[in-house]
């Protein structure tokens, strides 16, 4: 079977989560996914604690009675394609306030996955629809000055990504208990430890307005709590204090407001007190791999 045929047969699904408050944007995103070149991308929409508007025929959907958070909602969407998404070969994660401005994104993803059997996750480039600007925080590497440069990376952007379904089978799904913040890095570290690679692809573009992550009411609490959970779940014991100590100092250096620091400190303490799920420390070989990719797991 040649590479072209393999790419054409590679099945893509897209999981869109919504809180039900952006029906126009949701419909526009659905149409953008349906307009992709090549075989149709299967669609699944999750109403995360919210009713869904009327959806086009053939779209898989579920209305959850409560908001399960971003990773929990995406996990439900994965299962709409069968256990661990086995009805498709890879799942795109999209949010209802984003859009795909180009029609070749699905083709590029199929070619990327079929051309590299070790590729487990692709992170898209997020650009503001009006200015074309990509925020530095949306480039998932430390050397983020050139968002137009694609590269191997150590994490990915949750609402602008595609994950091979075999990753879920081998490394598990997103950590639902995180609710919001750092759930992508948790899955990324487990995927890398299972032998998969992660690419940032600048040519796969998602339009999304420039925003601040602090717009979420629980941002500072969740960021701190989940950072501790991330370390407790995934890092070898000697690296846990180094990783968390580094982030403690970085947080202070950024001089957050007293209110933000109070919320952050409350989350940091909660990260130690509350259960974080199963602990599966990564191999030292994975630590070295993260280091070679420019992101040693102490920062």
């Amino acid at each position: 079977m040649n590479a072209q045929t393999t790419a054409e047969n590679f099945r893509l699904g897209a999981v869109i989560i919504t809180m039900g408050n952006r029906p126009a944007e949701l419909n526009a995103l659905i149409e953008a996914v349906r307009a992709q070149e090549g075989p149709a991308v299967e669609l699944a929409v999750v109403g995360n604690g919210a009713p869904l508007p009327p959806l086009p025929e053939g779209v898989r959907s579920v209305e959850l009675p409560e908001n399960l958070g971003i990773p929990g909602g995406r996990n439900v969407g994965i299962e709409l394609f069968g256990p661990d998404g086995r009805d498709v070969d890879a799942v795109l994660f999209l949010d209802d306030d984003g859009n795909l401005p180009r029609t070749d994104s699905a083709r590029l993803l199929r070619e990327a996955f079929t051309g590299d059997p070790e590729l487990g996750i692709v992170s898209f480039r997020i650009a503001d629809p009006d200015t074309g600007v990509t925020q530095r925080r949306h480039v998932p590497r430390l050397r983020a000055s050139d968002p137009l440069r694609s590269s191997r990376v150590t994490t990915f952007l949750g609402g602008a990504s595609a994950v091979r379904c075999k990753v879920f089978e081998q490394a598990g799904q997103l950590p639902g208990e995180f609710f919001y913040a750092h759930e992508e890095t948790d899955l990324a570290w487990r995927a890398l430890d299972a032998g998969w690679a992660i690419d940032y692809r600048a040519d796969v573009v998602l339009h999304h307005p420039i925003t601040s992550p602090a717009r979420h009411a629980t941002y500072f609490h969740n960021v701190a709590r989940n950072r501790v959970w991330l370390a407790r779940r995934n890092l070898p014991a000697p690296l846990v204090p180094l990783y968390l100590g580094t982030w403690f100092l970085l947080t202070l250096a950024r001089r957050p407001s007293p209110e933000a620091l109070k919320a952050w400190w409350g989350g940091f303490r909660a990260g130690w007190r509350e259960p974080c799920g199963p602990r599966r420390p990564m191999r030292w070989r994975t630590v070295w791999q993260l280091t070679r990719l420019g992101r040693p797991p102490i920062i």
Side-chain angles (χ1 to χ4, degrees):
M1 184 178 292
N2 59 45
Q4 182 179 0
T5 303
T6 303
E8 289 176 349
N9 291 340
F10 193 86
R11 302 162 299 170
L12 292 177
V15 171
I16 304 173
I17 59 173
T18 178
M19 296 292 291
N21 54 355
R22 289 187 282 250
E25 290 88 342
L26 173 61
N27 285 328
L29 177 57
I30 289 173
E31 290 306 310
V33 173
R34 298 179 82 183
Q36 292 296 305
E37 301 167 8
V41 179
E42 296 287 331
L43 272 159
V45 178
V46 177
N48 211 357
L52 292 173
L55 299 172
E57 185 177 353
V59 176
R60 310 179 194 205
S61 64
V62 63
E63 294 180 356
L64 301 177
E66 62 177 313
N67 181 1
L68 298 183
I70 294 174
R74 288 185 178 138
N75 288 343
V76 170
I78 294 168
E79 294 297 303
L80 288 177
F81 294 113
D84 287 327
R86 65 180 57 169
D87 292 353
V88 293
D89 296 304
V91 169
L92 284 69
F93 290 132
L94 305 168
D95 293 338
D96 64 357
D97 54 349
N99 207 316
L100 296 172
R102 296 169 46 163
T103 60
D104 63 350
S105 297
R107 175 177 60 80
L108 292 172
L109 290 170
R110 289 188 182 97
E111 292 173 353
F113 281 119
T114 56
D116 184 354
E118 295 183 356
L119 181 62
I121 303 173
V122 176
S123 190
F124 312 161
R125 179 167 64 90
I126 297 179
D128 181 79
D130 296 322
T131 65
V133 170
T134 296
Q135 292 179 274
R136 187 180 183 90
R137 70 185 181 90
H138 284 155
V139 182
R141 59 177 179 244
L142 290 180
R143 299 180 182 90
S145 59
D146 183 7
L148 299 180
R149 179 174 66 86
S150 300
S151 68
R152 284 279 205 251
V153 289
T154 61
T155 189
F156 64 101
L157 307 173
S161 60
V163 181
R164 194 189 295 264
C165 293
K166 287 184 179 179
V167 172
F168 305 133
E169 296 177 16
Q170 297 179 12
Q173 298 181 11
L174 293 156
E177 56 266 60
F178 279 41
F179 198 83
Y180 164 77
H182 301 318
E183 67 272 8
E184 302 94 348
T185 299
D186 188 86
L187 176 56
W189 283 2
R190 286 182 281 120
L192 290 167
D193 199 49
W196 296 101
I198 306 171
D199 275 359
Y200 167 71
R201 287 287 298 259
D203 55 344
V204 182
V205 181
L206 181 103
H207 274 174
H208 189 283
I210 289 178
T211 58
S212 167
R215 70 190 186 278
H216 297 284
T218 58
Y219 171 75
F220 293 104
H221 178 277
N222 281 22
V223 161
R225 182 197 64 187
N226 294 359
R227 184 79 71 183
V228 176
W229 283 357
L230 183 67
R232 288 175 59 194
R233 286 163 59 97
N234 296 287
L235 289 181
L239 295 185
V240 172
L242 290 174
Y243 179 79
L244 295 177
T246 298
W247 279 104
F248 185 86
L249 294 175
L250 283 172
T251 299
L252 295 179
R254 291 168 176 169
R255 303 178 67 181
S257 68
E259 295 80 9
L261 186 59
K262 181 179 179 181
W264 189 94
W265 179 243
F268 189 82
R269 290 185 298 171
W272 290 104
R273 295 196 310 263
E274 298 175 6
C276 63
R279 171 170 166 76
R280 298 187 180 94
M282 66 178 66
R283 297 169 295 177
W284 285 102
R285 184 173 69 181
T286 306
V287 172
W288 173 239
Q289 181 184 4
L290 289 163
T291 303
R292 285 193 299 107
L293 290 170
R295 196 82 188 231
I298 58 172
I299 188 171

